[in-house]
Amino acid sequence: MEMLNIASVGFLVVFLGTLFLVGELLVRVKGLFAIIGIGIMSVYFTFHISGEVGLWVVLLYLVGLVLLIVDGKVVNDGTIALLGAILMILALAIPSPSIIYGVLVSMGFIIGAFTSLLFLKVFPARDMWAKMTLKDKMTNELGYNSLNESYKGLVGKTGKTISPFRPTGTVVIEGQQYSATSGSQWLGENEEVEVVSVDGTRIVVRRIEQEEEKKD
C-alpha cells in the first residue's frame, strides 16, 4: 500500500481502474470489468482518504460516474459526460500528496478512458452513446446520398461556364452554380456546355459545339 505514495504507481492504479470502469460502460462483459475497476479504485481512495480529505471526494467521484452513465443512456450528446469526467478527475487529484502526483493521476484517468475504447474491438458493445453515433451516421449518409442523387440528375443537362476551365471552373445549370471539370479541355467563360458524367460529386462537362461536330 505504501507504494501508492509514488506518483507513477498512482498513475498506474488510476489508469487501470479507469480502463475497466469505462470499459464496463462500453462493452458487455457481465459486470466483470466493473468489479475489477471498483476494486482498484477502492484501493486508491482507501489509501488517500485522511482526516483532511474525507469521503466527500469518493462521493464526488461517484457523482461523476453517474453523470457518465446518464449521458450515455439518456442525453447522448457528451456534455454531461464531460462534466462527469471533470468531477472524477477532481476527485482523484484533490487527495493527491503533490501537484505532480495530481497531474499524473489526471493523465492516468484520461489515458485509461481513451484506451478503454480498444475493448470495442474485442467485446460486444453496449448501447451507450448509441443514439448520438447513429444520428451522426444517418445524417452523414443521408446528406451524402441526397447530394449524390441530385448530382447524378445533371447528366445530359446543358449550362454555361461562368469562369475559365483550366480544366476546372464554375458552371451554371438551371440557375444553380456547380464546380465542375472539363477533363482535358480548356474552356473559356460563357461557353455552352453539357454534363457528360457525374462521379460522386465530380461533374464532368464538355463544350457542346465539339460534341455536335463529332456527330457530323
Side-chain angles (χ1 to χ4, degrees):
M1 291 286 289
E2 292 301 321
M3 291 183 65
L4 275 170
N5 282 317
I6 304 173
S8 58
V9 176
F11 167 86
L12 181 60
V13 168
V14 171
F15 168 79
L16 292 175
T18 305
L19 175 70
F20 288 109
L21 279 179
V22 177
E24 177 67 30
L25 299 180
L26 297 176
V27 298
R28 303 178 187 276
V29 284
K30 299 182 179 181
L32 177 62
F33 284 179
I35 295 172
I36 297 174
I38 291 171
I40 294 174
M41 296 314 302
S42 296
V43 171
Y44 178 86
F45 282 113
T46 300
F47 180 80
H48 286 292
I49 289 176
S50 61
E52 297 180 357
V53 181
L55 289 173
W56 65 271
V57 294
V58 179
L59 180 61
L60 187 65
Y61 185 88
L62 293 176
V63 169
L65 183 59
V66 169
L67 290 179
L68 283 182
I69 297 172
V70 169
D71 192 295
K73 285 287 187 182
V74 181
V75 182
N76 270 265
D77 66 357
T79 54
I80 295 181
L82 178 60
L83 176 60
I86 292 173
L87 293 180
M88 294 173 77
I89 290 173
L90 288 175
L92 293 167
I94 288 173
S96 300
S98 67
I99 295 177
I100 294 177
Y101 198 114
V103 170
L104 282 178
V105 295
S106 298
M107 291 176 59
F109 176 89
I110 295 171
I111 296 172
F114 280 104
T115 304
S116 66
L117 295 173
L118 296 176
F119 288 135
L120 292 170
K121 297 182 178 294
V122 181
F123 301 99
R126 291 186 184 275
D127 59 353
M128 300 290 282
W129 294 283
K131 293 179 183 178
M132 181 172 64
T133 304
L134 182 60
K135 181 179 179 181
D136 289 343
K137 184 177 180 181
M138 289 181 65
T139 301
N140 290 335
E141 286 182 351
L142 289 175
Y144 176 78
N145 289 337
S146 165
L147 184 62
N148 196 26
E149 288 300 320
S150 66
Y151 273 36
K152 284 183 178 179
L154 296 175
V155 176
K157 293 186 177 180
T158 60
K160 182 176 289 188
T161 62
I162 60 172
S163 70
F165 276 64
R166 301 290 187 269
T168 59
T170 306
V171 62
V172 173
I173 302 171
E174 296 182 344
Q176 288 286 105
Q177 293 187 13
Y178 299 91
S179 293
T181 179
S182 57
S184 59
Q185 287 184 335
W186 280 32
L187 304 177
E189 191 176 346
N190 294 321
E191 291 203 44
E192 296 290 333
V193 293
E194 179 184 5
V195 179
V196 293
S197 68
V198 172
D199 182 10
T201 57
R202 181 176 180 267
I203 301 171
V204 180
V205 298
R206 291 288 186 273
R207 185 184 293 113
I208 289 179
E209 289 79 5
Q210 284 195 356
E211 294 297 322
E212 290 177 347
E213 289 174 5
K214 288 180 180 179
K215 290 178 183 179
D216 295 337

